[in-house]
Amino acid sequence: MIAGSATFAAPAILRARNLNEKLNIAIIGAGGRGASNMQSVASENIVACVMSTPTTWVALPKPIPKHAVSPTSAKLYDHAGEFDAVVVSTCEHSHAFATLPALQLGKHVYCEKPLTYNVWEARVIREAAARTKVATQMGTQIHAGDNYRRVVELIQTGAIGSVREVHVWVSRAWGWHASEADAKQSGDIVFSQSRPAEAEPIPPGLNWDLWLGPAPERPFHSVYFPGPKWYRWWDFGNGTMSDLGSHWIDLPFWALGLKVPLVIEAQGPPPHPEIAPASMQVTYQYGPRAAWPALELTWYQGRNKPAIWRDGGIPQWDSGVLFVGDQGMLLCDYSKLLLLPEDKFQGFTPPKAFIPKSLGHHAEWLHACKTGAPTTCNFDYAGWLTEANHLGNVAFRTGERLAWDAVKLAGHKTVPTPNDFCVATIVRVGNCPELHH
């Protein structure tokens, strides 16, 4: 885990005086998803890198960085004067602990999704970013796609009328399964129903203590590493709900101006103390927003699917978003969209595109670092999206239908008594005081 400073600083003065000058960027996490993120910003100067295993050095852009922080020292922020921006691609449980010191030091930050590990951290990071006013972006790469833009335009111009119902589903079924046969049938990448009792040898070069970071200590085992095996374990991630939810719930969040759910209710298998579920669903109730009426949004993962999908009322795409309006429906995924019923929309003329084409998700952030231009998945937007997704897991793990008080950061049963209020977060241990709660 990174040894971060808790000192606040004014936003850094950019070295890049114009678009032709390059930013100096520090990388935190360069394996798996991190390697892709690093390559996407390799047009700039990669001047420092922190990772838990040296095997990912082979992915570093050439020439070799002039200053690289070894995995054993992890003192990146002791060298804060040498870089302008940070790319965070660690496991979910350490995102906030890598991101907060960068914000406090006035560094621009790109952080892989989900933005944080829990509700409290999402609020801390969102508010810290608002104070520093640096360029931020959560790694919701599909947000830059043209198809998402066309969907938002159709919804916001009233192609299907007022939307009061949304269904979002993904077929990935990674997590707790009732049997190994179920896991294999679901295409899961690893099977485990409990924390392993035995330890395995730590792979050569892996700094297991650094990888664990703020998580409770446990012996190494290959059911956690390498990624993305870790994301099913509550100590390191939040399963598919927070992972793919960052991509798929992003679309209705954007199109319908969502922010704070009022009521959250989940269904699924009995909550496991260690492992997130492979299949489950969550229903969110949102109040009226500007020109939009109250809304019910339901998330489904794994074997759970909307009734209209199961009954054959819509094409049975593996993953999708269905907007239900009072004048029709809009079905979409990452790359395509379909207005339903099709016979009603024959000859329909879509609105003229009004959302500009993206520069590219990473390019948009780099441009913002240099110019002060806005980003579309900045930490204000991403913070609210992340918070809502985590609340789905809070409802699942508590087994309660929760009414959410966003101001107090507390949830209660929908028929509350004075003792029903509970803080919807998990206490963390780490070296960033603001993240203690």
Side-chain angles (χ1 to χ4, degrees), residues 71-357:
T72 53
S73 67
K75 299 286 187 180
L76 175 66
Y77 292 113
D78 289 347
H79 305 277
E82 299 183 28
F83 54 88
D84 309 298
V86 179
V87 175
V88 177
S89 306
T90 61
C91 301
E92 182 176 336
H93 70 295
S94 53
H95 280 180
F97 289 85
T99 296
L100 183 59
L103 294 173
Q104 292 170 332
L105 290 166
K107 306 301 179 182
H108 308 293
V109 185
Y110 180 102
C111 181
E112 191 48 59
K113 56 80 185 149
L115 184 61
T116 66
Y117 169 80
N118 63 29
V119 173
W120 175 253
E121 291 176 359
R123 187 64 63 91
V124 169
I125 295 299
R126 183 176 61 78
E127 292 178 349
R131 289 192 295 270
T132 60
K133 297 180 170 40
V134 293
T136 59
Q137 185 91 303
M138 183 175 78
T140 319
Q141 294 83 9
I142 193 59
H143 195 98
D146 288 341
N147 192 61
Y148 266 30
R149 283 160 164 69
R150 304 294 82 81
V151 170
V152 172
E153 290 163 351
L154 285 168
I155 294 299
Q156 292 186 352
T157 55
I160 61 170
S162 295
V163 177
R164 293 180 170 83
E165 183 181 338
V166 179
H167 301 273
V168 186
W169 67 95
V170 296
S171 291
R172 180 190 289 178
W174 294 357
W176 187 90
H177 292 274
S179 68
E180 188 168 8
D182 281 349
K184 289 180 178 178
Q185 184 179 11
S186 299
D188 207 337
I189 59 175
V190 65
F191 172 72
S192 182
Q193 290 184 311
S194 61
R195 183 190 297 209
E198 73 281 5
E200 293 182 347
I202 298 174
L206 172 64
N207 187 326
W208 180 237
D209 183 63
L210 179 62
W211 190 92
L212 282 174
E217 186 176 3
R218 66 177 67 193
F220 174 83
H221 196 283
S222 57
V223 296
Y224 313 126
F225 180 91
K229 295 177 182 178
W230 55 264
Y231 105 147
R232 73 194 58 235
W233 297 90
W234 292 125
D235 277 349
F236 309 129
N238 286 275
T240 302
M241 172 79 254
S242 67
D243 184 77
L244 289 185
S246 299
H247 290 304
W248 289 94
I249 298 178
D250 170 41
L251 185 51
F253 233 77
W254 183 8
L256 294 165
L258 301 180
K259 185 176 283 187
V260 179
L262 303 180
V263 177
I264 310 100
E265 185 174 16
Q267 301 175 38
H272 189 279
E274 297 268 3
I275 306 171
S279 298
M280 56 97 82
Q281 69 188 61
V282 180
T283 298
Y284 298 87
Q285 303 288 343
Y286 286 89
R289 293 122 15 247
W292 295 105
L295 171 78
E296 181 176 278
L297 183 153
T298 305
W299 161 265
Y300 313 78
Q301 68 182 58
R303 296 181 177 179
N304 290 43
K305 295 291 188 299
I308 192 172
W309 187 99
R310 298 194 307 269
D311 296 341
I314 57 173
Q316 293 179 319
W317 297 357
D318 282 347
S319 300
V321 179
L322 179 69
F323 295 88
V324 180
D326 54 18
Q327 297 178 31
M329 299 185 293
L330 174 56
L331 173 65
C332 53
D333 62 11
Y334 283 179
S335 61
K336 58 186 180 293
L337 62 87
L338 184 63
L339 288 163
L340 299 170
E342 291 185 80
D343 56 354
K344 176 179 178 178
F345 288 96
Q346 285 184 358
F348 174 80
T349 301
K352 184 178 179 180
F354 59 83
I355 302 176
K357 186 177 182 65

